[in-house]
Amino acid sequence: MVEDTIAAIATAPGEAGIGIVRISGPDSIYIAEKIFKSKVSKELKDYPQRRLIYGYIINPYDGKKIDEVLISYMKAPYTYTTEDVVEINCHGGMIAVKRILEIVLKNGARLADRGEFTKRAFLNGRIDLSQAEAVMNMISAKTDKGFDISLNQLEGGLSKEVNSVQDILIEMMAHIEASIDFPEDDVENVLYEKIMEKANIVLKRIRKMIDTSDAGRIIQDGLKTVILGKPNVGKSSLMNAMLRENRAIVTDIPGTTRDIIEEYININGIPLKIIDTAGIRSTEDLVEKMGVERAKENLNMADLVIAVFDVSQKLTDEDREIIKLIKNKKAIVILNKTDLPEVIKEKELKEHLSDKVVINTSILKGNGIDKLEDTIKDMFFSGDIKVEDEIIINNIRHKDLLVKAEKDISEAIESIELNMPLDCIEVDIKSCWENLGMINGETVTEDIIDRIFQDFCIGK
Ligand SMILES: Nc1nc2c(ncn2[C@@H]2O[C@H](COP(=O)(O)OP(=O)(O)OP(=O)(O)O)[C@@H](O)[C@H]2O)c(=O)[nH]1
Ligand SMILES: [Mg+2]
């Protein structure tokens, strides 16, 4: 258990109805008693816990009112951190929360580090590491589905699966240990068979989790979609049409967009992180040149490219460069400006783009956008993803560890096939167990824990 008492502003800065200052630790109720004055001249401890109590925060040194508040206190261990917790609901905005935090700190609390409340919940054993990480993913979720996946993890969905796979690994190690200690008790062949069977189950279950990670990442961060094309073909117009607002500047001057513009949209339930880029061309203009470089950099990390061409203009070298750039990418080709007389023929372009879906649009007239949106959905999600009853990996750290665990168990299987000595096999099984343990925090080191919580927001 931690000895000191921490405090932080738990709500986001800015104008709002209320703000919340949260205190956790052994002194939190004592501190609250010093600075709180109820409307009906009772002490804080005269009220039951877990109730909102109306009154004032006062400066205990001069008795001056600091704000009108609703305060509640919750006693250990049934709290977020498992410690005594006090929450002060005060007026929103910058001033009230800051004043209250100051007075709380002056009376014995220490300013909480990032994620320290959740870290305490983890260190005190209320939640495991994957659940703590789920909390952060809920806060940073960009979509409803992303939120639901993390909610499932917070409720222990992922932990349960990881623990259960770990249990199988422990059984395997126990079998091996027993036969090393009492070699005459078990017929070796039977043991190898038994271990093999279990190893295959472990492999299957780890793979099943890994298989969800692409969808999980897309749901969490959005499908990274880069709009690419030479200048003036209608890339920014497309972005605006998909966003249904005039986000990017559109003009008939080639080279209008010079930096990348990123926005989140939801298309048929799929979150898209859509990125408009500077038109690709060789240019002497330094700013535009950097924009073109950025466009190409973004291309490398894209899940999907929407390549836009202008059918009213002849195919140029710039178009050909685009065709080359998207060759090995998941891409949809847009033939835009079909309201104008067609100069590029679809057939001609299709010769270069054998495998790509081609959609005709007139963004100006609003034609073809629906078809584009349907195509995106079909490309990435054939079925609907049900997040309620499925474990979906939406955290890159978890995915990396699962991949390591997969490698360990695959190596164990290989060793079993080769009839390697039991203690060799056990090494891989143990490593697999350890890698899984880093997901739920069982085998994780202090510096990794610190690093994980560094990414949290203040006050959580
Ligand atoms: N006729 C016609 N004009 C269009 C269509 N879509 C876009 N435009 C026009 O084409 C011009 C360029 O559009 P933008 O969206 O700025 O093109 P861009 O590809 O973003 O251009 P850069 O940012 O310079 O690379 C604007 O005048 C648009 O109104 C279309 O379907 N038909
Ligand atoms: Mg543009």
Side-chain angles (χ1 to χ4, degrees):
M1 286 295 261
V2 201
E3 292 299 314
D4 59 354
T5 297
I6 54 171
I9 298 168
T11 41
E15 286 181 25
I18 58 168
I20 296 176
V21 173
R22 195 191 224 180
I23 318 168
S24 178
D27 288 339
S28 44
I29 296 173
Y30 167 72
I31 293 170
E33 277 167 350
K34 277 208 288 189
I35 62 170
F36 176 74
K37 207 163 173 254
S38 121
K39 255 289 181 28
V40 279
S41 68
K42 280 207 279 181
E43 300 281 315
L44 187 64
K45 54 179 180 293
D46 298 332
Y47 292 93
Q49 62 162 338
R50 296 171 189 282
R51 289 270 182 86
L52 284 176
I53 307 149
Y54 177 49
Y56 292 100
I57 296 296
I58 50 132
N59 185 337
Y61 307 107
D62 58 13
K64 243 176 97 181
K65 277 180 192 163
I66 289 179
D67 192 17
E68 181 193 33
V69 300
L70 285 171
I71 193 169
S72 63
Y73 71 94
M74 290 153 269
K75 284 196 165 154
Y78 302 111
T79 66
Y80 186 73
T81 53
T82 78
E83 303 166 344
D84 284 348
V85 169
V86 172
E87 283 183 9
I88 303 170
N89 295 22
C90 61
H91 286 97
M94 304 299 283
I95 305 300
V97 279
K98 226 179 84 196
R99 280 185 171 184
I100 291 172
L101 178 64
E102 247 166 52
I103 207 82
V104 168
L105 296 179
K106 262 195 198 142
N107 282 277
R110 158 175 79 70
L111 186 62
D113 292 333
R114 288 175 169 275
E116 198 171 0
F117 293 92
T118 310
K119 187 177 176 182
R120 287 185 172 198
F122 163 62
L123 292 175
N124 294 334
R126 190 179 65 80
I127 52 176
D128 76 13
L129 195 55
S130 74
Q131 289 172 306
E133 289 172 293
V135 170
M136 186 174 66
N137 277 347
M138 286 167 79
I139 294 172
S140 67
K142 307 280 187 300
T143 65
D144 277 334
K145 270 199 177 129
F147 187 89
D148 288 343
I149 290 174
S150 300
L151 183 61
N152 182 354
Q153 285 177 7
L154 178 62
E155 284 165 354
L158 174 62
S159 317
K160 243 189 250 154
E161 177 63 8
V162 167
N163 292 342
S164 145
V165 174
Q166 274 188 307
D167 286 346
I168 303 177
L169 292 163
I170 287 178
E171 274 174 39
M172 290 162 75
M173 288 190 274
H175 283 316
I176 291 175
E177 292 288 329
S179 80
I180 291 173
D181 292 346
F182 310 98
E184 64 284 356
D185 278 7
D186 211 333
V187 185
E188 200 140 278
N189 283 348
V190 177
L191 179 69
Y192 273 88
E193 249 171 56
K194 241 194 220 164
I195 304 258
M196 184 63 138
E197 194 187 313
K198 292 209 158 100
N200 276 314
I201 293 172
V202 168
L203 180 66
K204 212 170 120 197
R205 284 170 69 173
I206 291 176
R207 284 215 172 125
K208 191 172 168 208
M209 287 189 268
I210 294 174
D211 285 345
T212 65
S213 62
D214 281 345
R217 184 184 56 79
I218 288 169
I219 291 169
Q220 181 68 22
D221 300 332
L223 184 80
K224 195 166 172 189
T225 307
V226 173
I227 306 178
L228 206 68
K230 73 176 174 192
N232 218 39
V233 291
K235 297 180 297 299
S236 301
S237 306
L238 177 63
M239 175 177 223
N240 290 346
M242 291 174 87
L243 286 172
R244 288 159 179 84
E245 67 173 286
N246 286 327
R247 167 70 177 83
I249 297 172
V250 167
T251 74
D252 55 4
I253 306 162
T256 299
T257 308
R258 288 158 160 247
D259 202 349
I260 53 170
I261 302 173
E262 301 183 347
E263 285 292 335
Y264 285 93
I265 47 168
N266 234 300
I267 287 187
N268 301 330
I270 300 168
L272 245 64
K273 182 184 187 182
I274 187 161
I275 301 163
D276 181 22
T277 62
I280 303 280
R281 65 170 171 185
S282 61
T283 167
E284 289 309 308
D285 182 306
L286 183 67
V287 178
E288 194 183 347
K289 212 173 183 160
M290 290 170 85
V292 172
E293 281 310 309
R294 283 204 176 168
K296 290 183 181 168
E297 277 164 25
N298 267 278
L299 186 66
N300 292 330
M301 291 176 291
D303 297 306
L304 171 68
V305 181
I306 302 178
V308 186
F309 297 89
D310 178 348
V311 289
S312 72
Q313 306 283 329
K314 271 214 187 96
L315 214 57
T316 62
D317 285 345
E318 290 144 351
D319 290 316
R320 287 187 196 96
E321 188 183 352
I322 309 286
I323 292 169
K324 239 196 268 160
L325 284 171
I326 63 168
K327 195 152 189 185
N328 297 314
K329 288 252 133 201
K330 228 174 187 170
I332 297 173
V333 172
I334 297 288
L335 299 185
N336 189 32
K337 306 201 188 180
T338 50
D339 53 290
L340 299 175
E342 285 185 21
V343 176
I344 304 184
K345 292 283 169 274
E346 193 177 328
K347 230 180 87 202
E348 181 191 347
L349 203 65
K350 271 194 166 162
E351 278 163 21
H352 302 283
L353 296 159
S354 47
D355 58 330
K356 308 280 192 261
V357 185
V358 177
I359 298 170
N360 289 291
T361 63
S362 167
I363 297 166
L364 197 66
K365 297 241 150 75
N367 294 337
I369 311 287
D370 294 353
K371 180 146 186 237
L372 170 64
E373 293 178 350
D374 289 343
T375 308
I376 294 173
K377 172 153 194 195
D378 292 345
M379 251 170 121
F380 285 88
F381 297 101
S382 29
D384 248 357
I385 298 178
K386 274 203 227 82
V387 297
E388 303 81 34
D389 43 32
E390 229 186 303
I391 294 150
I392 292 173
I393 303 301
N394 63 348
N395 178 315
I396 186 84
R397 192 183 77 84
H398 298 168
K399 188 197 166 179
D400 290 348
L401 289 166
L402 286 168
V403 169
K404 281 186 190 159
E406 182 195 23
K407 191 163 162 266
D408 292 330
I409 199 70
S410 303
E411 278 170 14
I413 289 173
E414 222 171 88
S415 307
I416 300 167
E417 276 165 356
L418 295 171
N419 266 322
M420 302 269 276
L422 284 168
D423 41 1
C424 289
I425 301 169
E426 196 183 5
V427 171
D428 290 326
I429 297 174
K430 177 133 190 280
S431 170
C432 183
W433 177 84
E434 279 170 353
N435 278 317
L436 293 177
M438 294 203 353
I439 295 176
N440 57 26
E442 258 173 45
T443 57
V444 89
T445 55
E446 209 168 304
D447 57 316
I448 293 177
I449 293 171
D450 287 344
R451 220 177 312 138
I452 289 169
F453 285 99
Q454 274 307 308
D455 291 337
F456 269 59
C457 54
I458 300 248
K460 189 69 208 173

